[in-house]
């Protein structure tokens, strides 16, 4: 179905596979550590409201990458190491967290400039 999908500045969500995955998953970003940009892959087993965001180690929101309804499937998102306004962020460790309903998964990534 056509849902409204709001994504951050400089973010593109791409459908990798339309086959419905059996499980909810968030892959380790690649490359990691990264310099200019990195790809975050995730899969959702049913149509859901998905939130995917990047946080710093203090738990502050850096950039909201996905915030909207997605059909079941596998996706990837490119993050270019920028905050919500498009400004480059500092080198360091960041957390990325996906939330679907009551489920969430958090992973770490390293930005090295």
């Amino acid at each position: 179905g056509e849902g409204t999908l709001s994504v951050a500045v400089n973010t593109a969500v791409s459908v990798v596979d339309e086959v419905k995955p059996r499980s909810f998953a968030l892959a380790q970003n690649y490359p990691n550590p990264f310099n200019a940009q990195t790809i975050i892959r995730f899969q959702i087993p049913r149509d859901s409201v998905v939130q995917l965001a990047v946080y710093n180690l203090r738990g502050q929101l850096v950039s909201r990458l996905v915030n909207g309804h997605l059909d079941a499937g596998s996706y990837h998102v490119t993050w270019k190491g920028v905050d919500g306004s498009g400004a480059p962020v500092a080198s360091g460790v960041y957390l990325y967290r996906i939330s679907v309903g009551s489920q969430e998964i958090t992973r770490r990534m390293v930005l090295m400039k």
Side-chain angles (χ1 to χ4, degrees):
E2 289 298 308
T4 56
L5 178 64
S6 79
V7 295
V9 186
N10 302 327
T11 307
V13 178
S14 308
V15 178
V16 178
D17 194 347
E18 304 250 343
V19 177
K20 288 192 179 185
R22 285 194 290 277
S23 61
F24 170 53
L26 177 65
Q28 184 64 48
N29 64 300
Y30 179 83
N32 184 50
F34 70 100
N35 179 328
Q37 62 182 39
T38 191
I39 293 172
I40 297 169
R41 299 189 315 277
F42 63 91
Q43 61 185 44
I44 53 172
R46 63 189 66 86
D47 298 3
S48 308
V49 173
V50 176
Q51 296 188 47
L52 175 63
V54 177
Y55 299 86
N56 63 25
L57 289 179
R58 293 191 297 278
Q60 297 166 316
L61 178 67
V62 173
S63 184
R64 198 177 297 286
L65 303 181
V66 181
N67 183 23
H69 186 275
L70 291 177
D71 294 340
S74 298
Y75 296 87
H76 67 247
V77 178
T78 300
W79 185 50
K80 297 183 178 178
V82 296
D83 65 18
S85 65
V89 299
S91 298
V93 178
Y94 291 88
L95 303 175
Y96 59 104
R97 177 182 302 146
I98 189 168
S99 304
V100 176
S102 60
Q103 296 180 288
E104 65 176 39
I105 304 171
T106 303
R107 292 188 182 274
R108 294 161 69 97
M109 60 182 163
V110 180
L111 171 59
M112 293 180 73
K113 297 192 176 174

